Amino acid sequence: MSKIAILGFGTVGSGTVEVFLKNKSNYQKNMGQDVDIKYILDIRDFPDSPYADKLVKDFNIIVNDPEVTVVAELIGGNTFAYDAVKQALEAGKSVVTSNKELVATKGAELLKIANEKNVSFFFEASVGGGIPIIRPLQQCLMSDVITSITGILNGTTNYILTKMIKEGAEFSDVLAEAQKLGYAESNPEADVSGGDACRKICILASLIFGRHIDPEDVYTRGITSITKEDAEYAANWGGVIKLIAFAGKCGESLEITVCPSFVPLESQLSGVNDVFNAILVKGEATGEVVFYGKGAGKYPTASAVVSDILNALKHGNKNLSWEERSDENHVVDYNKQKHRFYLRLEGVSKSKIKELFGEVVFLSRKNALEDEVAFVTPVICVEEFEKKCSDLYPLGKIQIMD
Amino acid sequence: MSKIAILGFGTVGSGTVEVFLKNKSNYQKNMGQDVDIKYILDIRDFPDSPYADKLVKDFNIIVNDPEVTVVAELIGGNTFAYDAVKQALEAGKSVVTSNKELVATKGAELLKIANEKNVSFFFEASVGGGIPIIRPLQQCLMSDVITSITGILNGTTNYILTKMIKEGAEFSDVLAEAQKLGYAESNPEADVSGGDACRKICILASLIFGRHIDPEDVYTRGITSITKEDAEYAANWGGVIKLIAFAGKCGESLEITVCPSFVPLESQLSGVNDVFNAILVKGEATGEVVFYGKGAGKYPTASAVVSDILNALKHGNKNLSWEERSDENHVVDYNKQKHRFYLRLEGVSKSKIKELFGEVVFLSRKNALEDEVAFVTPVICVEEFEKKCSDLYPLGKIQIMD
């Protein structure tokens, strides 16, 4: 008999309980043993819940109960969740989590404890919601060398950008609508700033790089300054604007960035719209593989959590792990990277632009302002580009995905 | 020390040897043990091969060598390959294969032997080449109920249809070009007849249904009768023609078909072009997830084979299995299914068409023949539809993907 404890009875927590209990008899048949949820931890009261008998408020009950072999941490954040996960692992219990902040910042340390205690620490639900990505990546990593990952990893920003592109709407209007529809939180900071996507790409990057990549080391830019004019110029260029998270090996270092990008229509990622996520994995032998689906939501995320729970019960410790962050920074400084850029300026002559940036490609849009000019630069070092931009006061400045 | 034997030194076989030997030191580090390829079986001579010392022609050498723990069958077909795989499993060796014909027709039997002998029988490379699909599906299946799978599973036919659509070319011309470019085999029968896609959907269907689905029980139609006129009407309808393999649960039965279909532009599958494959998995909790990539090719397929080899070495028997086909046929008779259909007729009046099929949607194309008429029917039972068609001598007849 294996007992499970669920930490957090919010959206994902209650979804996990529902999915698990609905399919429990299948799981028991499949595992050849009784499995059940014994505790649900939450500080709130749910007097009318059908699971009232499982609800507890004291984590010590769980961590001290030897019957509990798997703990699912679905609270989020980095304070109570961190302590609870660490205690559970140290008590010899496997832990599964959907908490991207926790994995992105403390993953190396928690994996190390899990490996020492020979228990599992799984986090399939932390990236891509119900899209299977962590395990397929482990599979690919086993046989092949993964060279890069490019992803649309945040559904809220992708919904906002899709609306802006399709309806020619402004960022602030679409955000307000998304909040009304429940696609964006009342505090949308983590989404629109790129912070959420950054945590997710850090988890994937740590896996392919074998060394902890801290969100603080990653150049991250959100979508708050994107305008409908930029979207129009992107269309004229032959693409769309997406918030792209990228991690690519570069010898012994790693290039990793999160920023809005012009994505050419030929790219598989250009057609990923609304709240959908997609992750493009490039391997030396495998070539390009794309994983696509809803990157969030109660039941998709819950199904990934349950899948991790069952894996932890069935197969025990099969953690991949990565080394802790060393003092040496392995992330390439964004200023030293080379990219092409889209720029939108006001009152700067085309001859001056050519003088500054060389062979640029000029773009056009309907109803452009008289002294507005937009173009795409050749490949240029970011540091040099920023220096040239500093006197130009750009209205729009977006990286090109190459 | 684990030794591996490779059966077949063709495209996939030689790719597997290359990928394995290139990354061998990584694998050894990862597994904590020495791993190597000991034998390569082929009836042909390769006197100049750098692996000449590993080449053997007698399978008995392999099956009788206790050092060999994993056999990779990359020969194809159902005769020698079947005997060899069976012997290897019975000798207590794990087997991995890219052979879709073998798995689709003998999967249940071979999985049973593998489970009895407590060894692995893995076949990730048999569907979707380098796209991870079998294992992610097992993951999803663990926690969720998979209700349907819809796939573009054959790269050759998808390349041909893409060319026909984009260039307004005829089937036979595009096929000839595809053969010249190496995208179609000199004998393209298995591809263009739908037989290859049928084997692949049978493998996926057996997994989600838990019971062996035989290719012979599946309604399969290829793309040889598709014309550029049909492609034009599909565009007017708002879609493209794709060879769609479908398997969906229907109570205790399974609907499973392989046929050209009108795919609406809103579907993720409509944008899957050229030699690419995509597989859309629908789960009760997971929702829709799509796996996309090159469905064939030397190195992508080889990387999937190597991944299976390493899994077999590392984790031992983790086979899913499915029951053997029972006498009772669980596949819903195609004639009893209900679909919408596109029809293209000559010399039939619109009033007659409405009389026969009810509220149809008429389609148009440039340069249509004077007495040509094309339309999409309401949902209709296939048997009834075919009866009505029998006197009409359709020029084009294609199912709608709903």
Side-chain angles (χ1 to χ4, degrees), chain B residues 334-335 337 339-343 357 375 377-392 394 396-399:
Chain B
Y334 185 63
N335 282 315
Q337 294 184 21
H339 297 285
R340 295 192 292 155
F341 283 93
Y342 148 86
L343 262 188
F357 296 100
F375 56 94
T377 70
V379 172
I380 180 172
C381 175
V382 174
E383 195 163 41
E384 190 190 337
F385 171 74
E386 290 293 351
K387 204 180 286 170
K388 289 184 179 188
C389 281
S390 64
D391 297 332
L392 300 172
K397 186 173 75 177
I398 298 174
Q399 191 179 303

Side-chain angles (χ1 to χ4, degrees), chain B residues 85-93 109 113 117 119:
Chain B
V85 168
K86 209 168 157 178
Q87 276 186 60
L89 291 171
E90 280 168 347
K93 301 176 193 306
E109 181 193 349
I113 301 173
K117 294 286 174 179
V119 293

